[in-house]
Amino acid sequence: METVLRAVSVYIVLLIVFKIAGRRTLLQMTNFDLILILIISEATQQALLGNDFSVVGASLTIITLICADIIFGILKKYVPGVDNMIDGVPVILVADGIPNQKKLKMTDISVDDVMVAARCNQGIIDIKDIKFAILEKNGQISIIPYQ
């Protein structure tokens, strides 16, 4: 049972840490981010398995993590507000060509990040041509141009 409790505890800690870190961490991955994820995975492995390096212990840990993910998915689907608490809500970063500085600062997204998404997704080169730029729950920036 210790393995199951370890797995659930680490899952919840990682969920909270990435919630605090914000969606900016999902927006783009740098070399530093990759190194950080590798270090986190190694530390997580140690916390999950402790001194148990058996195949059974690893299998139980994996099954527990997947079950925890399924349970959180069910909670997000059927319990009002849990989805917004865990994944957040979409955030409007630009409206009618005007950047919302408060929302940009809150999400740690720069106007340059918005413009990269605008150029890549819509071929837009001027912020005034953006009707809405929305930071989605998954960390991507959706661009809605004027028609």
Side-chain angles (χ1 to χ4, degrees):
M1 197 62 191
E2 179 184 348
T3 302
V4 171
L5 294 175
R6 283 175 176 262
V8 170
S9 298
V10 169
Y11 184 90
I12 291 171
V13 166
L14 289 173
L15 189 67
I16 291 169
V17 166
F18 282 106
K19 178 69 176 170
I20 291 169
R23 286 178 267 183
R24 172 107 171 94
T25 57
L26 300 174
L27 185 60
Q28 55 187 322
M29 186 176 287
T30 64
N31 291 339
F32 176 77
D33 296 329
L34 177 61
I35 292 168
L36 186 61
I37 286 176
L38 291 173
I39 292 169
I40 289 171
S41 67
E42 180 62 25
T44 302
Q45 182 265 338
Q46 293 295 323
L48 289 172
L49 297 177
N51 293 327
D52 182 7
F53 295 107
S54 68
V55 173
V56 173
S59 299
L60 184 59
T61 301
I62 291 168
I63 291 167
T64 301
L65 290 172
I66 290 177
C67 288
D69 191 53
I70 290 170
I71 290 168
F72 274 104
I74 291 169
L75 286 173
K76 289 190 313 187
K77 185 175 181 179
Y78 293 110
V79 178
V82 172
D83 184 35
N84 292 342
M85 184 178 75
I86 293 174
D87 292 335
V89 295
V91 178
I92 298 175
L93 303 173
V94 176
D96 296 322
I98 301 168
N100 184 329
Q101 296 300 329
K102 182 179 176 185
K103 298 287 183 165
L104 288 166
K105 185 176 182 180
M106 178 186 78
T107 58
D108 195 28
I109 304 287
S110 69
V111 173
D112 290 338
D113 293 331
V114 173
M115 290 311 300
V116 167
R119 286 190 299 273
C120 291
N121 298 334
Q122 299 290 333
I124 295 173
I125 57 173
D126 189 357
I127 198 161
K128 292 181 181 9
D129 295 329
I130 299 174
K131 184 170 184 170
F132 292 107
I134 304 166
L135 179 61
E136 302 292 351
K137 289 181 177 187
N138 65 3
Q140 299 298 313
I141 298 175
S142 297
I143 303 294
I144 302 169
Y146 282 105
Q147 296 297 356

